[in-house]
Structure formats: C-alpha cells, structure tokens
Amino acid sequence: MKRRDAIKSLTLLPAAGTIFSKQSLSSAPFAGSKPMPDLHRDAFVMDGHTHVMSRELVLKTDIGQRYADGTVDLPRAKEGGLDAMFFSVYTPENYYPGRFETKNTFRVVNLALDQIKKNSHVIELALTASDIERINKRGKIAAFLDLEGGYDLDGDLDLLRALYKLGLRSMQLTAHSTTNAFIDACNDVYTWGGINDHGKAVIKEMNDLGMVINVAHASNDAIMQSAAASRHPVIYSHGGFHKIVDHPRCITDEAAKAIAAKGGVIGVHFGSLFNNPKYWAWQKANNPVRVQPNPQPKTPRIFNAQVTTQTIEDVDKEFAHELPFTFKGTIPDEYWMHVDQLAKVIDYGVKLVGDDHIALGSDLDGGPELPREIKDISDFPQITLAMQKLGYTDQRIKKILGLNWLRVIRQVTEGK
C-alpha cells in the first residue's frame, strides 16, 4: 500500500541546564537568502518527526548530499537551523505481508547508523538529552533514533531490546497505520479496545530501558491507556487536533490532555490534511472511512504469515516507485494553507494543554502537503516568524521549537 494512499484513505518548564545558545556552534552563520530571525538562530531547534533512510536504503543515496527533490537532507537541515531531530526510520506496510518487517527494521536502523557515521562531520547519534547538548556544542546536528512502523508485528521484547542496544531510543507503538498484536491503530480495525496485556508489557519494557514511547497513529483509547500505563511521559510525535480537522489521525482534546497530564508532548504536523479544514473537506469525498468504532475483537489477518513468492528485494523495487515521500499534487489557492494558519494550530494546542506540551513534528519527507512558505526543512525559520507574528514571547517559542522535546528526552533517558 502506498503511504500517500494509506494516509488519504483515513477519515513544566525545561529542566535546569537545558537552555543553551547556538552561538557555540562552529558552523558559519546562515548564508542563504531565506529569512532567519535571531531568535531561531539562537534557539535549540528540534523536529519531532523527520523521515530518513527510506530513500537512502532503496535508492542508495546519501543524506549528507543536497538532493534535487524531497524535503530533507543534512545541508538543508543546517540551513534551517536544526540542532536535533527525531531521526525517524520507517518500516511501512509494504513489508508486512511477507513478514519482512523485522528484517527491514534492522536494515534501516543499521543504515541510519552507517549514514550518521559517514557524515560524522555534520551529525552524531544521541542516546540522551546530555548527548544532544554535547553534540550541539561541537557544532553538529544530533540524531535521536526513532522508529515508525512495525519492528515486529507480534511485539517480541527480545527484538526490542536488540534495537535498544543498537541505539534506538524512541518507537511508535502501532505498526504505522496498522493495528498490530498489541495496540489498535486509529485508522484500522479496532481489535484490542486500545492496548492489550502484551501492549502493557511493551510499554513496561520501554520504560525500563529508557525509551521514548510514541503514541502517534494510535486509536483514542490506545493513547489514553498507553499514557496511563507508562511510568514516564509519552509523546504524540506528529499530528493535528481533531477539533480543527476531524481526521482520525488527529488527536482528541481528551487524549491531548492525558498526554500533557503525564508530562508528555504533542508534535504539530506540518500538513494541510491534518490542519486545514477547507483542504480536508475538499479531500474528504475521496476518503472513505475505514475505522470500525465498535467492532468485535478479532485477530487481524496481517499477523498470519501469508503465502508469497516475493522476496524483500521485490518489495524494495515496488517501494522505490513511491520515493521520495513528498506531496506531488496541486492544491488550489483556496485550499492551500499558509504558515500563519499552521501557527494558529500550534496556538490551539498551547491554549488546550499549555506551552510545556506542544512542539513540532513536521513529517518532512513523509508526504505532507506543506504550507506555501515551507518548501523543505531549510524553511523551518518560517515557523518562528509565524509564532512571533502571533505575539508569542521568546521563551514560549523556544519551548515549542525544541526545549519541550529535550525535556521529555531527559526525563525518559536520564530519569531527570
């Protein structure tokens, strides 16, 4: 299933010592023609959901090179003032029927480590918040490794521990947009009424290891239950608000408040589909609802290995046609949102749960229909400019730009 088709078919203050200046970065000042306010240049900036390694794996490219297409590479990330990112590796539904999801997960994680090492003059792997700060002081971007998609549809804890040992420090519980053996996805068959006992065991293991629990793509009940089951704050890395756009991938006020009450953070997605009611209404006619609101529990068919003659290389070749994951359509002016509208979505979240619990989760190179002013990751300063127009203070903007992510990472990985 193509990622774009899958998406469209769905209807506290920071801890002491976490505030530091980018004046210590050794890289040259921003030299491009795009505006970058001093606040953005000096702030700690972290994206909570940036897609990487899919094209590098399948197309044999190098994230350290400037791409002619797509929205993310390291040169443009530096130009956008990024200090850190959830380096989100992805195992999509393409690999599930043949039960290649575990093999693909280890491939993309290993490749991420290889590419980070290859580009070590620009980026380093971070395992903790202290690592992020240390890496930034060296003038480099910090990569905090995050998994989107099923590491194993059955949720084998030994595989989870192995991924932790490789450096994975954050993981989405659902198998991307698919319900797996322990948690319901928001836009698939509801099987467990949220999470089951094994889901609680996965959460406990992640708590014990010090891994960030990501409930993006989970059902409302699953988000609420995960937040309740976790000893640590949980995050919702990328999405919109259901009160603004009633898409099932958008978080309800109830779930957002549950995450905030646990000390967690909601990352605001950059796409029109989740943030622009006019665009969603225009698209909705072609987006049949797949969610079953009150289904009887049943075992999802995806967990049973299917007879297939496909190899993982065959899947790679099919998957290659989808890359890069960028919106390639045309949006009429009346449905194309400006960055100012995205800032108002951020403001909605702040008014709902407070400025300690809202951050940015762009989903760049993940297919969103970006605001007019944002063409790629180098345009990240546009978010800062838009929040300044709303009258946000420097400190509130700094929290949203990255300090809130840093706080949660510190609490989970360092117990502080």
Side-chain angles (χ1 to χ4, degrees):
M1 181 186 295
K2 290 185 177 181
R3 176 181 175 82
R4 178 70 188 167
D5 292 342
I7 293 174
K8 289 185 68 178
S9 68
L10 323 175
T11 152
L12 324 198
L13 289 171
T18 63
I19 301 175
F20 56 93
S21 170
K22 267 194 281 191
Q23 295 296 334
S24 61
L25 297 183
S26 61
S27 58
F30 178 72
S33 59
K34 297 178 180 179
M36 181 183 287
D38 290 341
L39 171 61
H40 190 92
R41 184 177 288 108
D42 294 340
F44 169 73
V45 181
M46 185 171 193
D47 190 344
H49 192 74
T50 309
H51 271 260
V52 292
M53 294 306 111
S54 291
R55 67 185 298 168
E56 286 74 22
L57 177 70
V58 178
L59 303 180
K60 311 303 180 187
T61 53
D62 177 4
I63 198 170
Q65 302 299 310
R66 185 183 298 272
Y67 299 137
D69 57 6
T71 56
V72 174
D73 53 49
L74 295 181
R76 287 183 286 177
K78 291 290 283 185
E79 290 172 3
L82 272 290
D83 297 293
M85 61 179 79
F86 280 69
F87 215 61
S88 295
V89 294
Y90 177 43
T91 290
E93 281 84 348
N94 310 60
Y95 295 93
Y96 299 173
R99 293 308 304 264
F100 296 130
E101 78 279 357
T102 299
K103 183 174 182 178
N104 188 70
T105 295
F106 278 87
R107 289 195 308 168
V108 295
V109 169
N110 276 316
L111 181 63
L113 297 174
D114 289 344
Q115 292 245 337
I116 290 168
K117 184 177 181 180
K118 182 178 182 180
N119 293 285
S120 60
H121 61 292
V122 178
I123 191 167
E124 286 187 26
L125 180 70
L127 304 180
T128 65
S130 295
D131 282 349
I132 292 172
E133 292 172 322
R134 171 182 53 78
I135 291 164
N136 286 168
K137 287 176 182 177
R138 294 178 180 174
K140 300 179 184 181
I141 296 172
F144 191 72
L145 207 56
D146 169 63
L147 176 68
E148 179 174 36
Y151 78 97
D152 171 55
L153 294 174
D154 300 305
D156 188 316
L157 297 184
D158 283 326
L159 294 176
L160 179 60
R161 295 179 190 115
L163 287 164
Y164 175 85
K165 290 175 182 177
L166 282 175
L168 189 73
R169 288 297 181 271
S170 177
M171 187 183 77
Q172 181 177 299
L173 295 179
T174 60
H176 188 234
S177 294
T178 298
T179 292
N180 58 25
F182 55 89
I183 185 170
D184 290 336
C186 65
N187 48 328
D188 197 13
V189 174
Y190 291 175
T191 300
W192 312 115
I195 58 174
N196 59 19
D197 287 342
H198 188 62
K200 294 176 183 177
V202 171
I203 289 170
K204 181 180 184 302
E205 185 66 27
M206 292 180 72
N207 282 166
D208 291 346
L209 290 170
M211 293 182 71
V212 175
I213 293 168
N214 186 350
V215 294
H217 288 259
S219 72
N220 190 67
D221 286 342
I223 294 173
M224 301 285 290
Q225 292 168 25
S226 296
S230 177
R231 303 193 308 271
H232 300 156
V234 302
I235 69 167
Y236 180 90
S237 63
H238 60 298
F241 292 96
H242 199 264
K243 277 286 182 71
I244 296 175
V245 171
D246 62 351
H247 192 294
R249 266 282 287 111
C250 292
I251 193 167
T252 65
D253 286 2
E254 175 189 39
K257 289 177 180 178
I259 289 173
K262 206 62 176 274
V265 173
I266 295 112
V268 176
H269 194 282
F270 282 14
S272 285
L273 192 67
F274 301 155
N275 295 309
N276 184 356
K278 290 183 178 179
Y279 180 82
W280 171 232
W282 178 56
Q283 290 287 314
K284 203 169 184 178
N286 298 318
N287 290 321
V289 176
R290 291 177 56 225
V291 175
Q292 298 183 21
N294 295 297
Q296 295 299 312
K298 66 178 182 179
T299 302
R301 289 173 295 172
I302 194 69
F303 306 140
N304 301 320
Q306 299 179 18
V307 177
T308 177
T309 58
Q310 270 196 325
T311 65
I312 195 168
E313 290 77 19
D314 293 331
V315 180
D316 288 345
K317 289 176 183 177
E318 292 180 359
F319 187 40
H321 297 298
E322 302 180 34
L323 298 166
F325 294 133
T326 49
F327 179 71
K328 300 174 180 66
T330 301
I331 305 175
D333 284 348
E334 62 265 36
Y335 306 123
W336 194 5
M337 100 178 153
H338 285 274
V339 72
D340 289 349
Q341 185 174 343
L342 182 58
K344 290 177 182 177
V345 174
I346 293 169
D347 187 56
Y348 176 88
V350 168
K351 289 175 178 174
L352 179 69
V353 297
D355 57 18
D356 288 315
H357 306 289
I358 298 297
L360 305 176
S362 70
D363 202 15
L364 286 170
D365 261 7
E369 322 84 332
L370 297 171
R372 299 175 197 234
E373 295 82 2
I374 299 178
K375 302 298 186 294
D376 57 42
I377 199 167
S378 69
D379 290 315
F380 234 76
Q382 290 291 333
I383 301 292
T384 299
L385 290 168
M387 287 191 286
Q388 287 179 318
K389 288 181 182 177
L390 283 182
Y392 270 52
T393 64
D394 288 1
Q395 185 55 30
R396 297 184 92 188
I397 293 173
K398 286 179 178 179
K399 289 181 183 181
I400 294 163
L401 285 178
L403 290 180
N404 288 338
W405 287 134
L406 194 66
R407 173 183 56 79
V408 168
I409 291 170
R410 192 182 306 279
Q411 288 179 265
V412 173
T413 64
E414 301 176 25
K416 297 180 181 178

